[in-house]
Amino acid sequence: MLQDLDKLATRIRQVVALLQQARAESEAQAVRIQGLEEQHRRLREQAAQDQKALVQANEQLAEHEKGLQVAHLESERLRKELEDHLQDSQGRAQALAHQLERAVSERDRLRAAATGAQQQIELILERLPGAEN
């Protein structure tokens, strides 16, 4: 019977040791779980901050795209205005070139007429009595 009690005592010591080991492992697991929960909380906070930053970046992108669209529309308006101005200027330049051609032609015609008139006057003056021959 004493032998049975010794075996029982040994068995109880083994069970107590296993319980202590299980308790130590359980506490270690609890500490690990707390660490993982803390890490999970930090990751969630980081994800929330990242999401907020992404939303802000998207808002800024939308604002920049809107600004680019406004700038593009303004540049198109200015381009059209400049093209219209260029066409007007080219039209005026062509009109002035035609006026210049007509003026040069008229000048040449008048110069030829003046030269012809001068020659006729010289002929008439040569025929006048008392003209030098």
Side-chain angles (χ1 to χ4, degrees):
M1 173 106 173
L2 265 153
Q3 216 176 15
D4 288 336
L5 284 177
D6 280 342
K7 285 183 183 180
L8 182 60
T10 302
R11 187 72 181 138
I12 288 174
R13 280 192 289 275
Q14 287 175 347
V15 169
V16 168
L18 286 173
L19 282 174
Q20 287 174 345
Q21 183 182 357
R23 182 177 291 148
E25 288 176 5
S26 175
E27 288 173 359
Q29 291 295 331
V31 168
R32 187 168 178 230
I33 288 171
Q34 284 178 338
L36 289 173
E37 286 174 346
E38 177 63 23
Q39 184 180 10
H40 182 258
R41 182 192 61 76
R42 284 193 311 266
L43 288 173
R44 250 194 200 170
E45 288 174 358
Q46 183 64 43
Q49 289 174 356
D50 290 348
Q51 181 65 29
K52 184 178 178 182
L54 180 62
V55 167
Q56 288 175 343
N58 283 336
E59 288 172 354
Q60 287 179 345
L61 178 62
E63 287 178 28
H64 289 169
E65 286 177 349
K66 184 178 177 182
L68 283 174
Q69 187 177 19
V70 167
H72 178 71
L73 290 173
E74 178 66 11
S75 69
E76 280 297 312
R77 184 190 66 78
L78 289 172
R79 184 189 61 77
K80 176 72 171 124
E81 186 177 306
L82 288 172
E83 283 177 354
D84 291 346
H85 183 69
L86 176 62
Q87 287 177 352
D88 289 346
S89 296
Q90 287 174 338
R92 284 194 303 266
Q94 285 179 347
L96 289 172
H98 289 304
Q99 276 183 329
L100 178 61
E101 285 176 18
R102 285 191 301 269
V104 167
S105 177
E106 181 68 15
R107 181 204 64 199
D108 291 344
R109 187 187 65 75
L110 289 174
R111 187 174 283 160
T115 302
Q118 185 177 7
Q119 287 173 353
Q120 286 179 354
I121 291 172
E122 287 175 1
L123 285 174
I124 291 172
L125 288 176
E126 285 178 10
R127 290 185 195 155
L128 286 176
E132 295 178 22
N133 286 351

